Structures are given as C-alpha cells and as structure tokens.
C-alpha cells in the first residue's frame, strides 16, 4: 500500500533492522523499543488491522505464530509477550497488522 510505513519497510524503501523474512512475513526490531528486546512481525500482505482478518487472509497469522517461537529461540528468549493493538483506541498507530514481541526484565506483570 502506497503510504504505509510497514509496506515501505518490507519493500526496502525505509531501512529497518531485519531479523527474519520469508515469503509471507517480515520481522524487524521496533524503532522505539519498550523492553530489552522488542521486535515486530508483520504479514507481507497489507492487512490494516486484526479487524480486517477473514477466513481468506488469516492463515498468515498462524504462520507468524510459528515464526515467533523460532525467533525467540534464536534470540535466547526464555519468556516473552506478544501484543497486537487493534484500532486507535487500543493504541494502534501503524495500520498494517503487526505483532509486537517483547521480552526482558522491564516487562510489567500484565499487559504492557
Ligand atoms: P502500534 O502502536 O501501531 O501497535 O505499533 C507501531 C509500532 O511501530 C511502534 O512500536 C513504533 O515504535 C513502531 N514503528 C513506527 N514506525 C517505525 C519505523 O519506521 N521503523 C520501525 N522499526 N518501527 C517503527
Ligand atoms: Zn502496509
């Protein structure tokens, strides 16, 4: 999508610190980390948010949830939190579906 920052990152038009890439998804470190380790995993296809998931396009989410544990193992993360913000009211600022993966000693007890 033309003016989507994550589509531009996937295309290489905006630089990113890439962790992993395959045909379906792209993983990179968050520019503004909220914990010791903070990366994002996004589908390569532009899906604006979790609200736009359907039977037709949701398989990529299962795929992403197989990639996340592989990356966690590679990075030596013993425990981590996966977060998706859906909609402005929930804190979504980039409208290309993404999963935050956070790990480290400064994680709070619950959600953030
Ligand atoms: P949201 O608030 O939509 O759940 O999360 C968007 C995330 O994308 C934020 O944590 C923000 O720091 C990150 N982000 C926004 N723009 C860029 C960018 O250009 N590069 C990287 N690496 N992360 C970005
Ligand atoms: Zn996009």
């Amino acid at each position: 999508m033309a003016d989507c920052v994550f589509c531009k990152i996937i295309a290489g038009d905006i630089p990113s610190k890439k962790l992993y890439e395959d045909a379906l998804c792209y993983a990179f470190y968050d520019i503004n980390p909220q914990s010791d380790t903070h990366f994002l995993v996004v589908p390569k296809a532009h899906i604006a948010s979790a609200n736009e998931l359907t039977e037709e396009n949701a398989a990529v989410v299962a795929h992403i949830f197989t990639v996340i544990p592989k990356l966690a193992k590679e990075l030596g993360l013993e425990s981590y939190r996966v977060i998706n913000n859906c909609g402005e009211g929930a804190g979504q600022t980039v409208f290309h579906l993404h999963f935050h993966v956070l790990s480290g000693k400064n994680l709070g007890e619950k959600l953030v």
Side-chain angles (χ1 to χ4, degrees):
M1 208 193 188
D3 52 354
C4 168
V5 65
F6 288 174
C7 281
K8 286 182 182 160
I9 284 175
I10 293 161
D13 296 338
I14 293 176
S16 68
K17 204 171 159 197
K18 180 169 99 173
L19 257 174
Y20 174 83
E21 175 177 21
D22 64 25
L24 296 176
C25 71
Y26 189 93
F28 57 106
Y29 284 102
D30 197 290
I31 203 166
N32 182 24
Q34 299 301 308
S35 57
D36 296 336
T37 302
H38 183 180
F39 62 88
L40 305 171
V41 190
V42 309
K44 282 193 168 172
H46 181 87
I47 300 169
S49 79
N51 257 349
E52 277 68 47
L53 287 167
T54 64
E55 290 293 342
E56 284 69 42
N57 67 11
V60 69
V61 176
H63 176 68
I64 283 173
F65 273 78
T66 68
V67 168
I68 287 171
K70 282 184 207 155
L71 294 178
K73 277 191 198 92
E74 274 175 33
L75 295 171
L77 307 179
E78 280 180 19
S79 53
Y80 55 89
R81 184 168 296 154
V82 183
I83 291 177
N84 168 255
N85 297 319
C86 181
E88 251 169 336
Q92 185 175 6
T93 57
V94 178
F95 283 79
H96 179 127
L97 180 66
H98 54 281
F99 295 92
H100 297 258
V101 181
L102 301 130
S103 181
K105 51 188 177 302
N106 58 343
L107 279 188
E109 269 183 31
K110 294 242 160 109
L111 289 176
V112 286

